[in-house]
Structure formats: structure tokens, C-alpha cells
């Protein structure tokens, strides 16, 4: 039998609908900037580093090194043209210190030099200059000379020419930014005396000479890098004659306490022997190797220091966030698994420990349908085959594909079709709710198939008068492809494990639209199904919890639903889900400070959703970025081990969840692949939803693709109970006065003839649902952030999703 009713016309909203695009551009800019910062930070801190001076191995061939350089002085100029060398003056010692500045040892060495009125030359490493620019300024202020020792302390002979230029240029900029000076002095890392130069080293000196650098080698090595003891360092640093020396020592690269102690002995002793101390430039008579930096170099240097120090903070922050995300993930896994195990124990032997006396009263099944011709027949036939007495109300919401005609042509007993102009899913549900004759109502999507015992199973918890709604167990039917398998895993491992936790904590936030049961009087007390959010099922469930009703999960009430079969369709569905959930959370945020059942929803359910379904996905990109950073610049084995540990944790959760749901674990083989595509799509959905919510933009309902993959159960004909119940159920409709097709139906009040609500719901919460004039109009609802006015689809608007 068919009712043709016209709902009150919706007013077209004049609210601007904006599709946010700028945030994706902003996100791309942030990603590129972050990647560049991490790349620079990783290169400067992890590609090379300060190591002992003996790591380069045996000396190679030296055929290209000119003889006058091999046997000449340690200061080499014009290496790219006509090279010449210089030696320190007799009786002169040029103290040189490599690998600094170090925050511990450089100040102590400077103190020793100041007490002894000695100037020295410090060959600084660029990364250390960035970390401690104040020490470079002190070196210059104390009258010492600055030279560069590359940016990351690599063996320049092993680098490409462009890398050598980068090392020298970046170090020069760092010095200019830190102290406002530039220097012509260079000491290549791992260099020593002239006769140790080979052909590869000479190519470095030639390139440096072409860039205007003067290379400073050494004539005497204190070998303090070996930490042989203070006495040995003093012995190694003491000249055996009166010839001038360039003495190699270190103020960075490790513990230099022996160097500091040796200087306290060495300097007075050499002064007593008549030696004088000077910088390298003064020792060889070089005019002004250190000059004031130009404004451009100074500003670029300051920018470089700021960028690299900012990169350090970013890496630290990423590390903290990664560990936070890992800790939250482990915490969630532990909580969910504990709750699932406890829930299973409490429900074990459920048939023996029932909710109360068996619930046998008839049930109204409402099927909102908009262009569901691909699967509506299978859905309706599965409901007719239920082993529990049902009346089936299909509300056709202005379909254009013949959905209502198809259902009518089936001529199935107990099935009623109501046509209305296109007004949206909440309006269709409210139309069905107004037409229902039973106190227990099951709502099912038009793309969902029930098993024969689903209705009977899902209504049994209503034997407990405190229960106002029951969530069933939705399963993916089209799980053949990779995307279907991933969604199947998500439904079993994510949604169903969470529902067990919510059931145990009495804070169920969502009864899914695919399979949910409700007390009709509880819904009517709330004013019906609200249309002010895009997640009407979540909004409705939260309102029931706040009204004092208990919402439970019945895992044995199984329904099979179609999942999106393309990434585009999946994006649209999850975008609407996530955005609607954010709306519902904002709308019901007052539950955070309420007591009783509302407080449980707020402080348990909403906090859980915020932590694990909003913040954790927002941290997921951090984990991925840091994992890539770690694979390139840190320890790949350690990063891989951490990833495998995380994967094993998910696999363990998956195996347990599949066992609880009675599913074969075969699809879990695709779990590793899920981490590289599906997870990224889900956190991008969250990012998009948060941006949309913050910007206050409109998100429209979108049409869901149907694939016709549903099937009706074998023998989907009316059961014996239904054949008996059908005439009794049809009687009220036959006897009732039927309006003419699309005749306006008037109501004296919101469900005026409906009995009052049951326990825990004596009065609707005025904060949630104030005066509600009609079941298909929701103009008086409070508006959820960030909206001021809810969207109103025009008649025959085809943008609704079911």
C-alpha cells in the first residue's frame, strides 16, 4: 500500500556555499617548506660530522701536487694559478684550534689565552657556528682570527665540486651572520702537513684557491684528538728548534679537558724559551685575512642561522609529536583491546543471559530512499524475510530513478511506500517516524541488506527499559577489491572495536544509519531527527545519550552494506562523516560539563572522539614525515623496526577484532599496503574537514554511488510470522483516512497522539531540541558551529546522500 504525502516545502538557503581551496595551497606550501627545512637540517646534522683526524685511510697518488707545495710552507695561496706558500717567522708559533666553537671547551680555551695574552686562529665548523653564534662573536671580540673548517666537517676530497662550494659558502655565511666578518682562511678537515697532500686533496685546494681562499695546513700536531694525556699533548706540541710552527689543536669535537690543561702548561713554557705567539695572518705576514662582511652577506648569514635553528626546533617538535602519536596509539590499542575483552566476557553466553523477557512486539522498519533502484529490491526483500514481525515503510525522497515504482511493483506484503518531494534524509526519516505504528523502530539505509535474524536480535536489548537505542553490526558486502578489503578492515577493527568500548563506557556517540534501532517515543521526545548537521545519526545518538537513554551495541545484529568502490566516492563519504561528526561534537559540547549520562557522553565519548578521531589523524602526517626523515638521515634500521612494531600492533588488534566478529583473517594481508594509501586518505579527510569547519564554509550533501552489489538472502519471502502479522499490520493503514496524492497533511502538534517518553527521558532537553513544529521541519533547532543558518534544499534537489 502506498501513501503519497507532501511535506512542508523547504526554503532555499541563501547561505554562501564556499568550497575551500586556499587551505590546500597553504598545506602544500607548508609541506614544501617543511621538507626543505628538514632536508637542510638533515644534511647539515646527519650526513657528516666531526670525527677523529685519522679516518680518511692511506694516502693516494700525489702526481698532480707541485713540488714547491709539497716541500713548501703550510700556508698555500693561489693554488688554482701560480701557487706559492709561506712559513711562519722563526720563533713564532701560530696556535690553531679546529672543530669549534664548543659551548664548554671554547670559552675555557679563550680564558687561558686571555690570561696569557695570546692571540690564536680558530677554524670553525659551520654547524657549530649556527648553534653557538655568541662564541664566534667572543672570538672576534677577543682579537683572535677566524678561519673556516667547512659547514659539516666532511672530507672535501670525497665530495662533488658543487658540494665543496656549498660547504665553503654556507660556512662563510654562517660566520658573517654570527660575527659580521668574512675570512679568507680555510683548513680542510682531516688535513695535516704539506707532504700528506694527494691528487684529490690538491683538487680541493685548487677549487678553494679559485674561490679566493688561502689554505692553512699545519707543521706540528699536538694530537690532542687522541686524548693521550696532558703531558703527551705538551710534548707533541713543543718545537724541537727555533723554526716557526703552525700548531694544530682542537677546541671542539669532544672532551677537550686535556687540551685546556696542556695549554696552561705549554704557553708559559714556550714563552720562557723565547717563542712568541701570533695568529696565522700575523705569523706569515698576511694583510687582513679577516674583513668586515657586507650587508648582504650579513643578512643572508642571519637568515641561514635562523632557518637552521628553526629547523632544529622543528625536528625536536616532530620528534615529540611522533612519540606523542605513538604513545596515544599504543594507549588507544590497550584501552580498546581491554574494553573489547571485557565486553566479550560480559556478553559471553548472551543468549543465556538475556536483557530480560524476549521482545516479540512488532517493529517498524523505516527505509529512507533516494535513487536507490540499484539495491532497494535486495534491501526490502531481506527485511521481508525477517523472522520477527515487521512493518516496512519505504520513504521515497523524490527519487528520479523509479525507486518507489520498483518497490511497489514487488507487491511484497507488509511493505508500504510513502512518496515525498526531495527534502533530505532527516526529513525522510521523520516522515517514516510519523507513519510508524510500532514503539520500536529500526532505521536502515537503502543500500543495506539484513540477515533474517537481524531485526529480532537488534530489538532484544529493549527488554531493558533504560535502553533507548541499539547499534547493530554493519559489515562491508563488496570487499573483493583492495579498497573494499581496507574498508572491511576499518569496519571490523575500527568501528566495531570502538563500539564495544563505547558500550562498556555508556557513551555511544553513533548508531549507524545502516543498522540501528530506537524507541519511537524517545525520538519523538527529542522532536525527531535533526537536519542541522550532516551526520544525523551521530547527532541523534548524542541527543539520546544527553536525554538519559542508554545506547548499546549488539554485535550479533548483522547488516551488509555497500562501501564506496572508488577513492573519489570514499573521499566524499568520509568527508561528510567527519565534518558531520565535528558539527555534532560542537553542538553537544555542553555535555562536557553535565552530570549523569550526558556527562559520560561528554567526558568519555567526546573526549575520545577528539583525541583519537581528530587529533591523532592530524598527527599522522607528522609520523610519516619524520619516518621519511629518519630513513634518509637517521638510523634506517631503527625506523624500520619502529614501523614494523606499529604494524604488528595493528595486526594484533586486527586478528583479535576479526576473531570477535567471526571473520576470516585473510584480508589482513593488505594491512601493510593500507598504511601507504588508505591511512593518508583518511587523515587528509580530517584535515579537510577541520579546515572547512574552521573557515565556516558550507559542505553540501553529495550523491553516493550505488553499485548493485547487494543480494537478498536465499528465500527472501515473508516468513511465517510476517505472513500472519501482515494483515494485522495493514489494518491500521486500511482504516485510516488517506490524503489525496501530495495533499498537505496537517498536524495539531508534534506527534500529539504519541505516548510520553519512557524512563530517563520524561522531558526533552530544551537546550538540544526546542519547540519543534512538525516532524519534517527543523527550523527551531540551535545551529551547530560554524553555521548560522542550516541549508535548505529546494524541491527535487539531487545533492542528498543516503
Amino acid at each position: 500500500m502506498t501513501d503519497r504525502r507532501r511535506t512542508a516545502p523547504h526554503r532555499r538557503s541563501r547561505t554562501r556555499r564556499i568550497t575551500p581551496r586556499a587551505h590546500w595551497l597553504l598545506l602544500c606550501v607548508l609541506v614544501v617548506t617543511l621538507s626543505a627545512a628538514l632536508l637542510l637540517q638533515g644534511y647539515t646534522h646527519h650526513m657528516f660530522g666531526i670525527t677523529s683526524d685519522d679516518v680518511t685511510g692511506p694516502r693516494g697518488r700525489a702526481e698532480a701536487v707541485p713540488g714547491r707545495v709539497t716541500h713548501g710552507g703550510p700556508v698555500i695561496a693561489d693554488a688554482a694559478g701560480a701557487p706559492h706558500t709561506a712559513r711562519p717567522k722563526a720563533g713564532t708559533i701560530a696556535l690553531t684550534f679546529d672543530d669549534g666553537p664548543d659551548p664548554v671547551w671554547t670559552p675555557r680555551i679563550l680564558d687561558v689565552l686571555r690570561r696569557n695574552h695570546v692571540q690564536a686562529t680558530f677554524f670553525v665548523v659551520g654547524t657549530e657556528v649556527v648553534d653557538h653564534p655568541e662564541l664566534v662573536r667572543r672570538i672576534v671580540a677577543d682579537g683572535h682570527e677566524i678561519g673556516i673548517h667547512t659547514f659539516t666537517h666532511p672530507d672535501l676530497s670525497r665530495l662533488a665540486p658543487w658540494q665543496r662550494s656549498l660547504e665553503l659558502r654556507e660556512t662563510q655565511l654562517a660566520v658573517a651572520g654570527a660575527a659580521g666578518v668574512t675570512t679568507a682562511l680555510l683548513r680542510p678537515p682531516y688535513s695535516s702537513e704539506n707532504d700528506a697532500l694527494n691528487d684529490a686533496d690538491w683538487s680541493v685546494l685548487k677549487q678553494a684557491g679559485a674561490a679566493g681562499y688561502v689554505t692553512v695546513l699545519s707543521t706540528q700536531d699536538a694530537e690532542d684528538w687522541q686524548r693521550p694525556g696532558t703531558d703527551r699533548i705538551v710534548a707533541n706540541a713543543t718545537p724541537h728548534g727555533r723554526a716557526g710552527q703552525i700548531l694544530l689543536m682542537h677546541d671542539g669535537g669532544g672532551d677537550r679537558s686535556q687540551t685546556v690543561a696542556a695549554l696552561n702548561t705549554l704557553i708559559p713554557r714556550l714563552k720562557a724559551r723565547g717563542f712568541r705567539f701570533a695568529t696565522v695572518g700575523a705569523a706569515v705576514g698576511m694583510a687582513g685575512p679577516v674583513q668586515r662582511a657586507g650587508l648582504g652577506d650579513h643578512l643572508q648569514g642571519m637568515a641561514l642561522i635562523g632557518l637552521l635553528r628553526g629547523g632544529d626546533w622543528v625536528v625536536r617538535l616532530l620528534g615529540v609529536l611522533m612519540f606523542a602519536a605513538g604513545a596515544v596509539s599504543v594507549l588507544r590499542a590497550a584501552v580498546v583491546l581491554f574494553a573489547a575483552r571485557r565486553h566479550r566476557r560480559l556478553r559471553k553466553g548472551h543468549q543465556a543471559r538475556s536483557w530480560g523477557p524476549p521482545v516479540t512486539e512488532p517493529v517498524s522498519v523505516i527505509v529512507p530512499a533516494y535513487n536507490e533502484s540499484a539495491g532497494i529490491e535486495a534491501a526490502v526483500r531481506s527485511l521481508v524475510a525477517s523472522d520477527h514481525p515487521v512493518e516496512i515503510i519505504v520513504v521515497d525522497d523524490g527519487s528520479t530513478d523509479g525507486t518507489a515504482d520498483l518497490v511497489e511493483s514487488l507487491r511484497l506484503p507488509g511493505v508500504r511506500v510513502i512518496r515525498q518531494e526531495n527534502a533530505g534524509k532527516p526529513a525522510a526519516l521523520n516522515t517514516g517516524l510519523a507513519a510508524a505504528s510500532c514503539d520500536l523502530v529500526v532505521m536502515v539505509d537503502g543500500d543495506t541488506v539484513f540477515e533474517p535474524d537481524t531485526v529480532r536480535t537488534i530489538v532484544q536489548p529493549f527488554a531493558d527499559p533504560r535502553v533507548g537505542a541499539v547499534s547493530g553490526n554493519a559489515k562491508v558486502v563488496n570487499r573483493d577489491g583492495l579498497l573494499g578489503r581496507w574498508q572491511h578492515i576499518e569496519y571490523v577493527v575500527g568501528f566495531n572495536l570502538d563500539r564495544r568500548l563505547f558500550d562498556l563506557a555508556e557513551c555511544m556517540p553513533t548508531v549507524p544509519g545502516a543498522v540501528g534501532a530506537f524507541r519511537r517515543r524517545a525520538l519523538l521526545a527529542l522532536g525527531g531527527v535533526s537536519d542541522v548537521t550532516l551526520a544525523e545519526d551521530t547527532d541523534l545518538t548524542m541527543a539520546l545519550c544527553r536525554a538519559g537513554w542508554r545506547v548499546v551495541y549488539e554485535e550479533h545484529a548483522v547488516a551488509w552494506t555497500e562501501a564506496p568502490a572508488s577513492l573519489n566516492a570514499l573521499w566524499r563519504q568520509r568527508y561528510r562523516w567527519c565534518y558531520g561528526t565535528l558539527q555534532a561534537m560542537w553542538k553537544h559540547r555542553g555535555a562536557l560539563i553535565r552530570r549523569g549520562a550526558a556527562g559520560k557522553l561528554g567526558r568519555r565519548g567526546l573526549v575520545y572522539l577528539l583525541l583519537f578521531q581528530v587529533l591523532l589523524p592530524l598527527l599522522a602526517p607528522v609520523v610519516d614525515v619524520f619516518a621519511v626523515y629518519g630513513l634518509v638521515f637517521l638510523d634506517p634500521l631503527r625506523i624500520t623496526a619502529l614501523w614494523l612494531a606499529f604494524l604488528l600492533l595493528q595486526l594484533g588488534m586486527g586478528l583479535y577484532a576479526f576473531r570477535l566478529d567471526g571473520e576470516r583473517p585473510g584480508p589482513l594481508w593488505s594491512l601493510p599496503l593500507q598504511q601507504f594509501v588508505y591511512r593518508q586518505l583518511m587523515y587528509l579527510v580530517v584535515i579537510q574537514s577541520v579546515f572547512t569547519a574552521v573557515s565556516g564554509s558550507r559542505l553540501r550533501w553529495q550523491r553516493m554511488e550505488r553499485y548493485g552489489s547487494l543480494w537478498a538472502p536465499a528465500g527472501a519471502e515473508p516468513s511465517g510470522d510476517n505472513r500472519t502479522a501482515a494483515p494485522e499490520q495493514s489494518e491500521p493503514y486500511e482504516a485510516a483516512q488517506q490524503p489525496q496524492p501530495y495533499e498537505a497533511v496537517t498536524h495539531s502538534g508534534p506527534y500529539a497522539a504519541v505516548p510520553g517518553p519512557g524512563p530517563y527521558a520524561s522531558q526533552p532537553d530544551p537546550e538540544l531540541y526546542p519547540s519543534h513544529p512538525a516532524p519534517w521541519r527543523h527550523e527551531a533547532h540551535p545551529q551547530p558551529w560554524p553555521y548560522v543558518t542550516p541549508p535548505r534544499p529546494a524541491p527535487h534537489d539531487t545533492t542528498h546522500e543516503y
Side-chain angles (χ1 to χ4, degrees):
M1 183 170 299
T2 303
D3 275 359
R4 301 179 183 270
R5 299 187 178 186
R6 178 189 295 271
T7 63
H10 280 250
R11 295 173 299 181
R12 181 180 296 273
S13 173
R14 296 184 181 273
T15 305
R16 286 189 309 155
R17 292 182 174 180
I18 303 172
T19 301
R21 301 293 182 195
H23 68 273
W24 287 121
L25 177 61
L26 176 62
L27 182 62
C28 291
V29 171
L30 289 175
V31 169
V32 171
T33 303
L34 177 62
S35 300
L38 290 178
L39 183 63
L40 183 58
Q41 204 275 349
Y43 176 86
T44 57
H45 287 73
H46 301 292
M47 289 296 290
F48 309 102
I50 299 172
T51 56
S52 300
D53 285 353
D54 62 346
V55 299
T56 56
R59 180 173 180 261
R61 300 177 63 177
E63 297 175 354
V65 183
R68 60 180 176 274
V69 172
T70 302
H71 304 290
V75 180
I76 305 170
D78 296 329
H84 60 273
T85 66
R87 298 179 183 274
K89 300 172 184 177
T92 301
I93 294 179
L95 285 175
T96 64
F97 297 93
D98 290 2
D99 298 348
D102 183 274
V104 175
W105 306 114
T106 300
R108 297 186 185 183
I109 290 175
L110 289 173
D111 291 342
V112 173
L113 297 178
R114 177 179 293 177
R115 288 196 302 268
N116 290 277
H117 306 288
V118 168
Q119 275 71 50
T121 303
F122 289 81
F123 290 95
V124 295
V125 176
T127 55
E128 299 300 318
V129 173
V130 169
D131 291 339
H132 313 291
E134 71 285 351
L135 293 180
V136 182
R137 289 192 288 270
R138 180 180 171 184
I139 290 171
V140 174
D142 285 358
H144 303 290
E145 202 169 58
I146 290 287
I148 66 173
H149 198 47
T150 72
F151 200 77
T152 62
H153 203 272
D155 185 348
L156 292 176
S157 65
R158 301 174 184 267
L159 299 186
W162 69 267
Q163 285 181 284
R164 299 172 186 171
S165 297
L166 180 66
E167 288 284 333
L168 302 184
R169 175 60 178 164
E170 298 307 292
T171 312
Q172 194 73 260
L173 285 178
V175 171
V181 299
T182 60
T183 178
L185 303 179
L186 164 69
R187 172 170 287 163
Y190 312 111
S191 61
S192 57
E193 300 177 2
N194 292 48
D195 59 3
L197 293 172
N198 58 30
D199 291 346
D201 298 328
W202 182 243
S203 69
V204 173
L205 268 61
K206 289 175 63 178
Q207 183 176 349
Y213 287 98
V214 175
T215 301
V216 180
L217 302 180
S218 62
T219 60
Q220 194 155 354
D221 187 356
E223 298 185 1
D224 57 340
W225 51 270
Q226 297 188 29
R227 301 183 186 89
T230 301
D231 293 339
R232 189 61 191 168
I233 292 174
V234 171
N236 293 336
T238 300
H240 297 291
R242 298 293 303 172
Q245 304 290 337
I246 294 182
L247 178 61
L248 171 61
M249 303 185 80
H250 297 81
D251 66 325
D255 184 352
R256 299 305 177 205
S257 57
Q258 294 180 7
T259 303
V260 175
L263 285 172
N264 281 313
T265 301
L266 179 67
I267 294 175
R269 180 179 296 179
L270 292 181
K271 280 188 173 183
R273 290 179 52 184
F275 284 95
R276 71 182 186 90
F277 293 87
T279 63
V280 169
V284 299
M286 185 185 303
V290 178
Q291 299 290 332
R292 182 169 297 279
L295 179 61
D297 285 344
H298 182 56
L299 293 178
Q300 290 183 59
M302 292 178 64
L304 175 65
I305 292 173
L307 177 63
L308 290 177
R309 299 190 80 167
D312 291 341
W313 280 104
V314 168
V315 170
R316 294 190 189 101
L317 178 61
L318 288 178
V320 171
L321 292 178
M322 188 192 73
F323 283 113
V328 168
S329 299
V330 172
L331 176 63
R332 176 183 180 271
V335 170
V336 168
L337 289 177
F338 173 80
R341 183 174 178 84
R342 182 169 177 79
H343 186 271
R344 181 172 179 267
R345 288 182 176 180
L346 292 176
R347 294 292 180 87
K348 192 174 182 180
H350 176 66
Q351 300 301 328
R353 188 196 67 80
S354 64
W355 294 91
V359 176
T360 59
E361 61 183 280
V363 175
S364 297
V365 182
I366 302 173
V367 187
Y370 174 76
N371 287 352
E372 297 284 2
S373 60
I376 192 66
E377 179 177 355
V380 173
R381 287 189 180 277
S382 72
L383 294 172
V384 171
S386 298
D387 61 7
H388 191 90
V390 296
E391 65 166 354
I392 302 166
I393 304 172
V394 178
V395 182
D396 183 79
D397 189 41
S399 297
T400 59
D401 67 345
T403 297
D405 295 334
L406 174 59
V407 177
E408 289 175 342
S409 69
L410 299 177
R411 300 186 180 278
L412 295 173
V415 178
R416 182 183 181 194
V417 178
I418 300 177
R419 299 173 186 256
Q420 68 175 33
E421 294 182 11
N422 182 249
K425 184 177 180 181
L429 290 172
N430 284 325
T431 298
L433 194 62
S437 63
C438 304
D439 184 56
L440 299 183
V441 176
V442 171
M443 296 181 182
V444 54
D445 288 341
D447 62 344
T448 302
V449 167
F450 274 21
E451 294 187 353
D453 64 344
T454 299
V455 174
R456 173 175 52 82
T457 304
I458 201 172
V459 299
Q460 295 310 308
F462 289 115
D464 186 340
R466 299 172 300 171
V467 174
V470 183
S471 168
N473 185 348
K475 292 179 177 289
V476 174
V477 65
N478 53 330
R479 58 178 75 170
D480 293 335
L482 194 59
L483 189 60
R485 288 191 182 94
W486 289 341
Q487 293 178 82
H488 170 46
I489 293 173
E490 184 182 27
Y491 271 64
V492 175
V493 181
F495 300 158
N496 289 345
L497 280 183
D498 281 348
R499 288 194 182 102
R500 288 179 170 89
L501 171 63
F502 293 141
D503 189 0
L504 196 66
E506 299 183 9
C507 60
M508 185 78 68
T510 305
V511 172
V515 51
F518 304 87
R519 288 192 192 274
R520 183 168 176 263
R521 65 177 183 271
L523 299 185
L524 301 185
L526 295 174
V529 182
S530 171
D531 67 350
V532 295
T533 73
L534 295 186
E536 78 290 332
D537 48 3
T538 300
D539 184 10
L540 182 63
T541 308
M542 290 182 178
L544 285 170
C545 289
R546 293 186 67 182
W549 292 98
R550 186 178 175 192
V551 182
V552 300
Y553 174 53
E554 179 48 76
E555 64 267 29
H556 300 293
V558 176
W560 299 88
T561 187
E562 273 193 330
S566 67
L567 288 177
N568 184 46
L570 178 63
W571 172 275
R572 295 200 307 270
Q573 181 198 65
R574 298 310 171 85
Y575 184 18
R576 181 179 67 84
W577 285 6
C578 184
Y579 184 74
T581 299
L582 290 175
Q583 287 181 295
M585 291 170 63
W586 181 258
K587 176 181 177 181
H588 296 283
R589 64 191 183 278
L592 289 167
I593 59 174
R594 299 284 294 275
R595 296 181 179 179
K600 291 179 181 178
L601 170 69
R603 290 182 290 278
R604 297 177 186 177
L606 296 186
V607 170
Y608 184 91
L609 292 178
L610 178 64
L611 187 61
F612 296 116
Q613 294 192 18
V614 178
L615 296 182
L616 185 59
L618 290 178
L619 289 178
V622 174
V623 176
D624 291 344
V625 169
F626 199 84
V628 174
Y629 176 84
L631 288 173
V632 176
F633 295 113
L634 302 178
D635 185 355
L637 293 178
R638 182 180 179 185
I639 297 299
T640 303
L642 289 174
W643 183 81
L644 289 175
F646 180 72
L647 184 63
L648 288 175
L649 177 64
Q650 291 186 305
L651 181 61
M653 291 180 62
L655 289 172
Y656 188 65
F658 270 60
R659 179 184 175 187
L660 290 178
D661 257 29
E663 293 282 351
R664 294 181 178 179
L668 290 175
W669 70 263
S670 64
L671 194 59
L673 296 176
Q674 190 185 44
Q675 306 304 305
F676 295 103
V677 179
Y678 194 82
R679 190 170 65 88
Q680 283 74 11
L681 182 67
M682 291 302 102
Y683 68 60
L684 287 176
V685 164
V686 175
I687 292 173
Q688 169 82 342
S689 301
V690 170
F691 266 105
T692 304
V694 171
S695 66
S697 303
R698 291 239 46 90
L699 175 61
R700 301 176 62 195
W701 289 82
Q702 298 175 354
R703 172 65 188 155
M704 184 68 178
E705 297 178 20
R706 303 305 186 202
Y707 312 101
S709 57
L710 298 176
W711 40 264
E717 298 296 336
S719 64
D721 291 339
N722 278 337
R723 292 191 182 97
T724 302
E728 299 177 6
Q729 295 176 31
S730 63
E731 182 178 352
Y733 305 114
E734 297 290 350
Q737 182 179 357
Q738 301 296 333
Q740 296 299 318
Y742 294 100
E743 177 185 354
V745 180
T746 59
H747 291 262
S748 59
Y751 309 106
V754 179
Y760 300 93
S762 58
Q763 294 293 334
D765 190 340
E767 179 186 347
L768 301 180
Y769 296 92
S771 62
H772 213 292
W776 51 79
R777 295 175 66 98
H778 299 274
E779 298 169 2
H781 277 291
Q783 306 307 316
W785 170 80
Y787 299 146
V788 176
T789 304
R792 297 292 179 189
H796 305 293
D797 185 354
T798 59
T799 60
H800 295 287
E801 178 180 5
Y802 287 86

